[in-house]
């Protein structure tokens, strides 16, 4: 359960200002824009404020509760990236290793050179897809739901718009045979690359991804409610579109174990569980990672030190591009004034399709999470407004 663990003033916050979080997002609920929400603010891993209102399931009349289960979608990606770096710490791979060394289907990759969805023109890739390319979304892969390039249509034509009906191994091997959008390591395109990282974890560890995550991350951190499907369907929040139209087509799969273990977007969990994960990030990686490992992940790994605005394809993502870089698994704030929102240098963050989000500010020892179930995540400026409301409540 989520309980306030430290007096806001002791943690450097003004309690009256924190209450603005409750008021602001309750207005979204009252205006019929959100079904419900839950926000958590913590300092040094101790919960300072919890705000919640509305319904987890409008039709059932079930209120948002501390133990509500949420589809975290792409907030799965940082967890999978940490899993890979646990193996990196053991010497299982190097970041520059070609992916084909472990997944042979990536050998002889080809790059899109023209044509259309039905008749692509490709050429051999000069640079192999490397592991760091996967972790930074610079591998040249894509998502079928982008609708931004003919290659996105190729993914859809193969059945890869949202997830897959095949095993993770079979799906990744199929993706490896599709063209790359660009030469690996030259641009950023938000993609299925983290799902490939999940398959690498399986190959390198000899364990299914769900077993590895359970033994190496969830159990050590006490994340008892996080899994690839709802551990208790009666606590599962419903999924909605704008206008609070229920979407069971995309929402229902989270109630059942999937065929494909999606390290890029398949986890379901509680706010309390994700708080345990972000608290690990605040604690310099303890007890999972060495501090130097987390610091490596938290640096900008985009080619040439570029910002996302310089090399990112114009597709759906979970961050803005101005002033932002990308590390090994999450966005990194490089230039706070350029973002034009309340941020801190080195802030790590990511979000999910259903408007969930988190960020960690190492310099402020701050972690924040936001949970709701509204797709797409771009519907309202929930994330920028939350930063505004949290940082204005910090009095030091």
């Amino acid at each position: 359960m989520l309980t306030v663990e430290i007096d806001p003033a002791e943690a450097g916050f003004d309690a009256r200002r924190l209450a603005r979080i409750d008021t602001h997002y309750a207005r979204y609920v009252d205006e019929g824009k959100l079904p419900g929400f839950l926000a958590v603010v913590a300092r040094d891993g101790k919960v300072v404020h919890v705000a919640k209102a509305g319904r987890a399931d409008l039709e059932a009349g079930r209120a948002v509760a501390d133990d509500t289960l949420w589809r975290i979608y792409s907030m799965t990606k940082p967890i999978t990236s940490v899993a890979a770096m646990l193996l990196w710490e053991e010497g299982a791979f190097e970041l520059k290793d070609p992916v084909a060394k472990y997944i042979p289907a990536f050998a002889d990759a080809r790059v899109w050179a023209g044509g259309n969805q039905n008749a692509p023109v490709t050429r051999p890739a000069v640079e192999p897809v490397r592991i760091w390319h996967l972790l930074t979304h610079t591998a040249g892969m894509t998502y079928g739901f982008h609708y931004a390039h003919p290659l996105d249509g190729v993914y859809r034509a193969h059945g890869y718009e949202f997830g897959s009906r095949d095993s993770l191994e079979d799906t990744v091997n199929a993706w490896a045979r599709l063209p790359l959008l660009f030469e690996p390591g030259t641009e950023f395109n938000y993609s299925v690359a983290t799902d490939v990282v999940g398959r690498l974890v399986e190959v390198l560890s000899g364990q299914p991804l769900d077993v590895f995550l359970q033994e190496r991350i969830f159990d050590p951190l006490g994340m008892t409610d996080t899994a690839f499907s709802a551990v208790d369907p009666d606590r599962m929040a419903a999924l909605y579109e704008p206008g609070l139209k229920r979407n069971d087509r995309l929402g229902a799969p989270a109630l059942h174990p999937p065929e494909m273990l999606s390290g890029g977007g398949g986890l379901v969990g509680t706010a309390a569980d994700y708080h345990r994960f972000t608290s690990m990030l605040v604690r310099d990686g303890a007890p999972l990672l060495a501090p130097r490992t987390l610091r490596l992940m938290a640096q900008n790994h985009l080619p040439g030190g570029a910002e996302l605005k310089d090399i990112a394809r114009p597709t759906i993502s979970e961050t803005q591009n101005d002033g932002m870089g990308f590390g090994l698994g999450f966005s990194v704030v490089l230039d706070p004034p350029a973002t034009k929102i309340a941020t801190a240098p080195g802030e790590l963050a990511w979000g999910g399709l259903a408007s969930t989000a988190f960020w960690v500010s190492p310099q402020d020892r701050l972690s924040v999470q936001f949970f709701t179930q509204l797709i797409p995540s771009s519907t309202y400026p929930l994330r920028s407004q939350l930063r505004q409301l949290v940082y204005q409540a910090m009095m030091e």
Side-chain angles (χ1 to χ4, degrees):
M1 301 296 288
L2 286 166
T3 57
V4 174
E5 300 172 291
I6 187 171
D7 180 82
E10 185 180 344
F13 287 88
D14 184 316
R16 292 174 298 177
R17 287 173 171 263
L18 283 171
R20 293 171 179 171
I21 299 171
D22 306 59
T23 302
H24 182 80
Y25 290 103
R27 188 177 305 122
Y28 272 96
V29 175
D30 293 342
E31 293 175 355
K33 295 178 178 179
L34 291 179
F37 75 92
L38 193 158
V40 183
V41 182
R43 195 100 189 254
D44 291 313
K46 296 181 178 179
V47 176
V48 175
H49 187 75
V50 177
K52 62 177 180 285
R55 305 292 183 183
D57 188 316
L58 292 172
E59 290 73 18
R62 180 159 43 86
V64 169
D66 290 347
D67 65 351
T68 294
L69 291 166
W70 311 92
R71 299 162 191 80
I72 65 171
Y73 286 117
S74 287
M75 281 167 60
T76 304
K77 289 180 169 70
I79 295 175
T80 301
S81 300
V82 166
M85 295 307 288
L86 290 173
L87 292 166
W88 176 86
E89 288 189 326
E90 297 171 1
F93 68 90
E94 295 188 62
L95 290 169
K96 290 184 178 180
D97 282 347
V99 177
K101 180 178 179 180
Y102 309 104
I103 304 177
F106 276 90
D108 304 318
R110 299 187 67 84
V111 178
W112 186 278
N116 56 48
Q117 176 181 335
N118 296 320
V121 176
T122 65
R123 59 169 176 80
V126 176
E127 171 74 357
V129 177
R130 301 184 188 275
I131 294 177
W132 77 266
H133 297 150
L134 297 176
L135 288 163
T136 57
H137 295 283
T138 60
M141 305 185 80
T142 192
Y143 270 122
F145 59 71
H146 280 330
Y147 287 83
H149 187 276
L151 182 58
D152 308 338
V154 174
Y155 273 62
R156 292 194 299 274
H158 283 78
Y160 304 125
E161 181 169 10
F162 287 100
S164 171
R165 296 179 180 178
D166 300 319
S167 70
L168 179 58
E169 178 181 7
D170 289 344
T171 300
V172 167
N173 286 338
W175 288 336
R177 291 188 287 268
L178 299 179
L180 300 174
L181 189 59
F182 47 75
E183 193 68 38
T186 61
E187 300 183 52
F188 176 100
N189 191 65
Y190 194 44
S191 72
V192 299
T194 313
D195 288 296
V196 182
V197 173
R199 176 58 187 155
L200 274 172
V201 169
E202 292 190 329
V203 172
L204 293 167
S205 70
Q207 294 180 300
L209 182 59
D210 56 348
V211 174
F212 185 91
L213 295 182
Q214 190 68 49
E215 292 183 0
R216 298 294 299 275
I217 296 179
F218 302 156
D219 286 346
L221 295 182
M223 297 171 67
T224 58
D225 284 325
T226 302
F228 282 104
S229 60
V231 296
D232 179 2
D234 291 338
R235 289 193 278 135
M236 190 77 221
L239 186 65
Y240 296 92
E241 299 175 14
L244 299 186
K245 178 183 177 182
R246 189 181 181 110
N247 188 328
D248 284 333
R249 181 180 70 86
L250 289 181
L255 299 173
H256 311 286
E259 187 65 35
M260 174 186 152
L261 300 174
S262 173
L267 288 176
V268 171
T270 60
D273 272 10
Y274 214 85
H275 164 64
R276 294 181 178 97
F277 179 75
T278 57
S279 296
M280 176 273 295
L281 300 177
V282 170
R283 293 192 299 265
D284 289 331
L288 300 183
L289 297 168
R292 285 180 180 270
T293 303
L294 183 57
R295 287 198 290 269
L296 174 65
M297 296 179 71
Q299 295 178 59
N300 181 27
H301 286 260
L302 295 179
E307 291 185 12
L308 284 172
K309 69 179 178 62
D310 299 318
I311 67 167
R313 291 283 178 119
T315 55
I316 297 170
S317 183
E318 297 299 337
T319 185
Q320 68 159 42
N321 291 339
D322 291 341
M324 306 296 292
F326 201 87
L328 302 178
F330 23 59
S331 61
V332 182
V333 173
L334 303 178
D335 184 356
T339 69
K340 295 298 181 283
I341 59 176
T343 59
E347 185 184 281
L348 312 176
W350 208 241
L353 176 68
S355 302
T356 61
F358 86 93
W359 84 83
V360 168
S361 172
Q363 77 168 25
D364 296 309
R365 311 179 315 282
L366 172 73
S367 60
V368 180
Q369 299 94 48
F370 184 86
F371 297 89
T372 188
Q373 297 283 262
L374 181 76
I375 57 172
S377 60
S378 58
T379 305
Y380 303 114
L382 303 171
R383 297 166 183 175
S384 57
Q385 291 173 355
L386 184 60
R387 282 175 168 81
Q388 197 168 322
L389 292 163
V390 170
Y391 281 120
Q392 63 84 33
M394 293 182 70
M395 308 311 292
E396 62 174 39

